[in-house]
Amino acid sequence: TDYLLEEINPIESVAASQGKRLIMGETGWPSDGFISGVGIASHENQAQFLTDFYCRCDKELGWEYYYFTGIDNAWRQEQDANNTVEGNWGIIYANLTIKPWFQDLAFTCSDGVEYSFAEIDWTIPEIAAPPTISPAPTTALGDEACLAHANCVAVDLVVGNCCPTDGADGIRLGCCDPLTDGSSTPPTAG
């Protein structure tokens, strides 16, 4: 984080002199892969960067930031075969399981508070099945009821298949079949 601070401090000073906030768009460290000319991607370095960054930049300096990234992204690696770090920045794997080196990570910052990933329930909740959609209501004649589009209601069209969309002019209905008066011209509202 020392290098990061050296690079950001001048930018933060300029922003402050203009009455602006500095919000870091992305920060983080990859757990795996290689790209020439940058730091070493490893499990240990990823956990150490998060710990150092959080203690120094979040707790001590109060920076606003977006940590990059929560979830590994395999598709990012496909963009550049020579850059194998891109898909490995997440705290959790693409299958939504926490990386083992974060599972029980605990650390204490200069504020004396212990921060711990172990206190978080990392289980993935079950996703509920989508609701069953009931069939459209019908009238005594068996016709589908109007879908209560505002323009249908405005012209007292309460029976028939009434599309719930505005026409191109914003007034006429996109379609109504059949029309209650037997005509083929859609009614107008207002």
Side-chain angles (χ1 to χ4, degrees):
T1 56
D2 289 338
Y3 174 77
L4 178 64
L5 291 170
E6 289 173 20
E7 296 295 312
I8 297 295
N9 281 337
I11 298 168
E12 185 178 33
S13 295
V14 170
S17 73
Q18 301 294 314
K20 307 279 183 184
R21 300 182 351 209
L22 175 70
I23 302 173
M24 186 175 293
E26 292 182 358
T27 193
W29 200 271
S31 60
D32 199 12
F34 175 80
I35 188 168
S36 181
V38 296
I40 298 170
S42 71
H43 307 161
E44 296 81 13
N45 288 347
Q46 186 181 43
Q48 190 63 55
F49 180 84
L50 181 136
T51 300
D52 292 349
F53 180 83
Y54 185 77
C55 287
R56 180 79 170 118
C57 299
D58 185 296
K59 300 316 282 179
E60 291 177 25
L61 300 174
W63 284 9
E64 296 179 78
Y65 60 91
Y66 293 94
Y67 197 85
F68 184 79
T69 178
I71 305 170
D72 279 353
N73 298 294
W75 63 268
R76 291 184 59 91
Q77 212 152 305
E78 296 169 8
Q79 294 174 333
D80 182 356
N82 296 320
N83 181 349
T84 59
V85 299
E86 281 303 321
N88 299 301
W89 291 77
I91 293 171
I92 60 177
Y93 291 115
N95 70 1
L96 303 181
T97 58
I98 182 95
K99 291 181 176 179
W101 49 97
F102 289 118
Q103 182 69 46
D104 294 319
L105 178 66
F107 55 92
T108 303
C109 296
S110 64
D111 59 6
V113 176
E114 181 178 84
Y115 299 93
S116 174
F117 277 57
E119 297 175 14
I120 300 169
D121 179 4
W122 294 99
T123 57
I124 301 169
E126 293 293 321
I127 298 174
T132 304
I133 298 174
S134 302
T138 58
T139 64
L141 301 174
D143 296 326
E144 287 185 19
C146 176
L147 297 175
H149 184 275
N151 288 348
C152 292
V153 174
V155 293
D156 294 318
L157 182 61
V158 294
V159 178
N161 291 332
C162 184
C163 293
T165 58
D166 289 327
D169 63 4
I171 297 172
R172 294 184 178 271
L173 298 176
C175 64
C176 283
D177 182 29
L179 299 175
T180 55
D181 64 3
S183 69
S184 59
T185 304
T188 59

